[in-house]
Amino acid sequence: MRRYLFFVNQPYSYSILRPLQEEIRRRGGEAAWFVAGCTAEPLGPDERHLKTVKEVMEFNADATFVPGDWVPYFFPGIKVEVFHGMARNKRGHNSEAESDHYRIRGWFDLYCTHAETDTAKFQQLAELHQHFAVAHTGWPKLDSLLQKQVQGPRARGQGELPVVFYASTFSRSVTSAPALVEKIAELASSGRWKFIVTLHPKMEASVVEQYRSLAGENLRFVESDEDLLPILPQADVMLCDTSSIMFEFMFLDRPVVTFRTKMPGPYLIDVDNVRDVEPALEKALKYPGELMDETRKLCDELHSFRDGHSSGRVLDAVDDFLVNKQAGLRRKPLNLLRKVKVRRRLRRELKKQSVSSQ
């Protein structure tokens, strides 16, 4: 029986890792959670929570799954990167290959990739560095969404208002939240639309409070630590900026409108002016054929699988690595300075978490 650890540093990690936990349990394995830097409140009574480094060491996992870009290197077992989003250029680099998605920091033994393009890129990096392996598995987070088979237009009753899911990332250079708060308030109060709104956990508190205060009959505010995947199918269209959640929504085969996105393309209706937001939403509700064709094409590029069984492939890849591939790799670089920084960061995150829970 294998043991697996989930390393959580952001609230969005829960929805990424829970499909893995479900598959681990189905196979008779054991899973535990270690949370550093964010709330552990989403954990249920049936989920094992390791609260100290000592408990982690005693649990002695075979593998630690990480949706982020760092992990305590001294934790037992191999470190497996499963990513917090799909491979897209969110920061406006000259090319996708230059984005942080492909930055090798020296922490991970196995990268579990989502599509042919990112797999090929990581394979090239693996041949260059020779201290990690790559497996084309798909993304566990999409399992529950794909298994429900809710793709296509949402069935709306007669007179039922269309629902917009609005999500925004936090970085000041790409977020649309401050610019759109008045427009979203206007549209929600107009009686023409309903909104579901969520914001990145790192969003400025004052902006979060502005949106939270809009909650009412036609606007539901969803806190950042809630699981968004069961909520996404409740919307007809998404309004976004440069948040990677737009790509998750596209797997519902539904349209996305963006405001000044850094990831433009024919798979989006992008607008630069606030006054153009509502006309763009109205256009999206008509499901333009060319737009939806491009959306499906992009989804094929981002994620190779539609069967909802990526978690199983990830666990199979871990088994294959432990049995067949681990011995053939070089030792990871010493990274002494980075290791010092990781220890400091872990202490800081645990201290912050302790203060917030008091």
Side-chain angles (χ1 to χ4, degrees):
M1 183 181 71
R2 294 204 186 280
R3 287 183 162 188
Y4 305 91
L5 180 70
F6 301 134
F7 181 69
V8 173
N9 186 240
Q10 294 292 340
Y12 52 64
S13 297
Y14 292 104
S15 59
I16 299 170
L17 296 170
R18 281 202 169 108
L20 275 169
Q21 177 176 246
E22 183 177 339
E23 181 65 16
I24 288 167
R25 289 174 171 176
R26 192 187 69 80
R27 296 185 180 199
E30 187 175 357
W33 300 76
F34 182 79
V35 182
C38 69
T39 179
E41 289 184 5
L43 290 177
D46 65 331
E47 294 177 312
R48 184 172 179 180
H49 181 197
L50 306 180
K51 299 181 180 180
T52 67
V53 172
K54 182 175 183 292
E55 290 177 345
V56 169
M57 305 307 285
E58 291 173 349
F59 183 69
N60 196 28
D62 296 287
T64 296
F65 295 109
V66 186
D69 58 12
W70 74 284
V71 61
Y73 62 91
F74 52 87
F75 279 9
I78 66 168
K79 315 303 184 295
V80 184
E81 173 66 90
V82 293
F83 300 100
H84 69 274
M86 285 170 279
R88 296 303 292 170
N89 187 354
K90 294 178 62 176
R91 304 302 178 193
H93 296 282
N94 291 330
S95 70
E96 181 61 41
E98 297 177 16
S99 73
D100 289 344
H101 190 84
Y102 297 106
R103 185 178 176 186
I104 305 301
R105 295 172 171 86
W107 303 133
F108 300 105
D109 303 283
L110 177 64
Y111 287 81
C112 290
T113 53
H114 307 154
E116 293 180 2
T117 302
D118 64 323
T119 302
K121 177 61 178 176
F122 275 108
Q123 288 285 12
Q124 292 174 359
L125 293 169
E127 293 172 6
L128 175 65
H129 295 281
Q130 298 185 37
H131 58 72
F132 62 85
V134 179
H136 184 191
T137 61
W139 198 27
K141 184 176 183 179
L142 290 181
D143 281 356
S144 59
L145 196 67
L146 295 173
Q147 288 171 7
K148 290 177 182 177
Q149 297 183 340
V150 290
Q151 287 71 29
R154 184 178 70 92
R156 297 208 316 268
Q158 186 174 4
E160 183 182 354
L161 295 179
V163 178
V164 179
F165 194 110
Y166 173 63
S168 178
T169 190
F170 72 97
S171 174
R172 291 185 179 181
S173 64
V174 295
T175 182
S176 63
L180 292 184
V181 62
E182 292 183 5
K183 173 56 67 173
I184 289 175
E186 173 198 325
L187 294 177
S189 63
S190 71
R192 298 189 296 271
W193 305 88
K194 284 183 178 289
F195 278 82
I196 302 170
V197 174
T198 193
L199 301 174
H200 193 282
K202 292 184 179 180
M203 181 68 72
E204 289 185 25
S206 60
V207 177
V208 174
E209 191 52 43
Q210 281 183 286
Y211 278 92
R212 191 182 282 129
S213 68
L214 298 178
E217 180 181 359
N218 288 337
L219 191 147
R220 173 187 175 187
F221 185 81
V222 181
E223 299 294 341
S224 62
D225 60 353
E226 292 188 48
D227 187 356
L228 301 178
L229 281 183
I231 304 174
L232 289 181
Q234 298 173 21
D236 300 285
V237 59
M238 174 170 279
L239 175 61
C240 197
D241 39 43
T242 307
S243 173
S244 60
I245 194 173
M246 74 169 81
F247 302 118
E248 299 168 34
F249 187 80
M250 288 179 186
F251 282 90
L252 291 170
D253 200 27
R254 297 177 190 177
V256 175
V257 173
T258 51
F259 183 77
R260 299 175 185 171
T261 187
K262 297 293 184 182
M263 298 184 288
Y267 44 83
L268 300 170
I269 301 175
D270 187 51
V271 297
D272 292 323
N273 197 298
V274 173
R275 67 171 177 266
D276 295 326
V277 168
E278 187 172 23
L281 292 173
E282 292 170 343
K283 178 180 179 181
L285 280 178
K286 297 176 182 178
Y287 281 62
E290 185 176 349
L291 173 71
M292 300 314 300
D293 287 344
E294 292 292 342
T295 296
R296 295 170 193 128
K297 179 181 176 181
L298 177 66
C299 288
D300 289 338
E301 293 173 0
L302 291 175
H303 198 269
S304 301
F305 307 98
R306 294 292 185 278
D307 58 6
H309 295 300
S310 292
S311 294
R313 282 185 289 271
V314 168
L315 294 183
D316 289 344
V318 169
D319 284 341
D320 181 55
F321 180 90
L322 292 172
V323 174
N324 300 315
K325 296 180 179 177
Q326 186 173 22
L329 297 177
R330 292 180 179 176
R331 294 183 62 179
K332 291 196 286 290
L334 286 176
N335 284 343
L336 293 178
L337 181 58
R338 281 185 177 177
K339 288 179 178 178
V340 171
K341 290 181 178 179
V342 160
R343 286 185 177 271
R344 288 176 178 171
R345 181 172 185 178
L346 180 61
R347 287 195 294 268
R348 183 173 65 250
E349 299 284 29
L350 290 176
K351 182 178 180 180
K352 180 173 66 176
Q353 179 178 304
S354 176
V355 170
S356 64
S357 64
Q358 292 177 358

